[in-house]
Amino acid sequence: MSESTPLGARRHGAMRLLSPAQRRQWQDETLHSPRLRYGIPAWLLFRLEDVVFGPGRSVPKFRALEIINRVAYQAWEQAAYYLAGKLRERSARARQLHDTVEEDRTEQDNEKWHALILDELEAAQGRRESWFRFRLLPQLIAFAVYQVFWLMRVLRPSWAYRFNADIEDHAEHEYAQFVAEHPEWDATPFHSLAAPEYGRYESLADVLRQIGDDEGVHKRISLDRLTRAR
């Protein structure tokens, strides 16, 4: 699959633009690829999410997970400002921190589109889920995860990048499985009014495949950072 922009390049929609055929290829490859061996922090988070939001896959659950998953990039941006303030002189390290903040903002923006689209889809389906369970609790969990990511980024960046790679790998596989569970979505049209910048897609399955591919790009960015941190 060819990418229209480099990993981490700032854009307003998907992390990379794929054709419908390429998105189907992404799904097939993801379904047949092994997951990462998740570390203890990720394993605990996934177990908590299954307890709170249910073990199955649903639009409200995925919307809640998007709220939680995006805080890594918010925490990293704030941690970078803290670290920049500790530098005693202008150096290549300062420039590196600036560049990582730009990447973090790009990834934050991308996750924002995911949450908006899932919000819109949930409303279109006429679902009325528990406000406490699917609105308040995701925010509380996100607040706790934010603190963990901030500390990891400041004290041991490699831990932060590995934790996030696990989260994004899990999300990538879950989206691929979610679409596979609903073959009828290939015939379900969906055009976003809330997030038109994210692009136009042939069907609901098509846009969810694109979101899943975005998660894979996030994973690869974190794995690349992990390699450089080591």
Side-chain angles (χ1 to χ4, degrees):
M1 300 179 187
S2 62
E3 298 186 7
S4 59
T5 56
L7 294 183
R10 192 159 179 77
R11 50 175 297 109
H12 295 290
M15 294 299 290
R16 60 177 187 170
L17 295 178
L18 303 177
S19 68
Q22 287 174 319
R23 287 189 278 269
R24 287 177 179 273
Q25 181 184 348
W26 160 83
Q27 182 185 9
D28 183 66
E29 291 175 351
T30 302
L31 290 173
H32 291 88
S33 66
R35 299 185 183 223
L36 296 178
R37 295 184 63 181
Y38 302 141
I40 292 175
W43 186 87
L44 291 174
L45 177 62
F46 302 153
R47 298 291 78 74
L48 174 63
E49 291 170 345
D50 284 346
V51 169
V52 174
F53 308 120
R57 300 178 182 89
S58 68
V59 171
K61 180 179 181 179
F62 275 71
R63 188 264 180 196
L65 300 189
E66 290 290 351
I67 296 301
I68 297 168
N69 294 353
R70 73 189 297 250
V71 299
Y73 311 112
Q74 296 170 323
W76 292 353
E77 179 179 354
Q78 294 304 312
Y81 295 142
Y82 170 77
L83 292 170
K86 294 173 67 64
L87 294 176
R88 298 186 182 277
E89 60 183 20
R90 297 184 182 275
S91 63
R93 175 61 175 157
R95 179 64 197 188
Q96 181 185 21
L97 287 171
H98 171 273
D99 291 344
T100 60
V101 166
E102 287 298 303
E103 286 185 348
D104 296 336
R105 288 175 178 169
T106 296
E107 297 192 75
Q108 285 184 58
D109 289 347
N110 180 252
E111 298 286 10
K112 173 191 67 178
W113 298 127
H114 297 176
L116 285 172
I117 289 169
L118 289 166
D119 257 333
E120 194 172 13
L121 177 57
E122 185 177 354
Q125 292 181 341
R127 303 181 68 112
R128 296 180 62 86
E129 304 291 347
S130 166
W131 174 86
F132 176 79
R133 183 183 180 194
F134 289 98
R135 297 288 169 168
L136 180 59
L137 285 181
Q139 296 292 343
L140 296 178
I141 296 172
F143 177 78
V145 173
Y146 177 100
Q147 312 307 318
V148 173
F149 269 118
W150 191 92
L151 287 171
M152 284 183 171
R153 178 66 180 83
V154 169
L155 301 177
R156 188 67 68 89
S158 61
W159 290 356
Y161 302 144
R162 179 60 208 221
F163 186 18
N164 195 59
D166 288 349
I167 288 175
E168 298 292 11
D169 179 78
H170 179 264
E172 180 180 23
H173 282 84
E174 287 297 295
Y175 272 107
Q177 292 283 357
F178 195 29
V179 175
E181 291 172 357
H182 294 275
E184 73 278 8
W185 285 350
D186 274 304
T188 303
F190 182 74
H191 173 62
S192 177
L193 298 177
E197 296 90 340
Y198 195 70
R200 298 180 64 90
Y201 299 90
E202 292 184 343
S203 65
L204 174 56
D206 203 33
V207 71
L208 292 177
R209 290 186 185 108
Q210 181 63 66
I211 291 174
D213 180 75
D214 286 346
E215 310 294 14
V217 175
H218 294 312
K219 174 185 69 177
R220 292 192 292 280
I221 292 173
S222 287
L223 289 175
D224 180 63
R225 285 188 176 189
L226 174 61
T227 299
R228 286 184 276 129
R230 286 174 172 171

